[in-house]
Amino acid sequence: MTTEAEVVIRPETSRFDPDDQPWRDQVAALHAALREEAGSIVHRGVPRPGHKGAVEATVLVLGSSGGLTAAVTCFRAWLARDKTRTLTVVWTDAAGVERSIRVVGDNIDQTSFQALTEGLGSRLGDD
């Protein structure tokens, strides 16, 4: 049985202000690639430690291990286009523990997304 998994993604850059149109366009391109290749994207309020109430988050809903593989491919390609980009990915593992990784565009290696693929891979295993 295949289970859905949700992954919160937080793209950042040291090059643009978060409200600059070029940055917003780059983030929109990431979302479009993820929708096309990996799963659905939703925006919702999520609690953030140290803050009152919820903050808006972009959530990628993955339905298969193939979607996870496609998401990682999209993440790598998007980060590689601009070395000032950073991507934080947050998920809950099978034990219910929140985990996260932060990958910087100028330091992507083969193991950058290993924790994510290991943490969600078994949950999304296709039968």
Side-chain angles (χ1 to χ4, degrees), residues 3-11 30-31 34-35 38-44 46 56-75 87-94 97-103 112-113 115-121 123-124:
T3 312
E4 283 189 344
E6 294 186 349
V7 177
V8 176
I9 55 174
R10 288 194 296 265
L30 172 62
H31 293 174
L34 288 168
R35 272 188 204 99
S40 62
I41 295 278
V42 295
H43 298 278
R44 72 168 66 118
V46 296
E56 184 172 301
T58 302
V59 180
L60 172 62
V61 181
L62 298 169
S64 69
S65 56
L68 175 59
T69 300
V72 169
T73 300
C74 288
F75 294 157
L87 188 63
T88 302
V89 182
V90 181
W91 71 97
T92 302
D93 68 15
V97 176
E98 184 175 283
R99 299 183 61 198
S100 69
I101 58 168
R102 184 172 187 268
V103 181
S112 295
F113 291 98
L116 176 65
T117 56
E118 289 175 356
L120 288 179
R123 281 183 54 194
L124 292 170

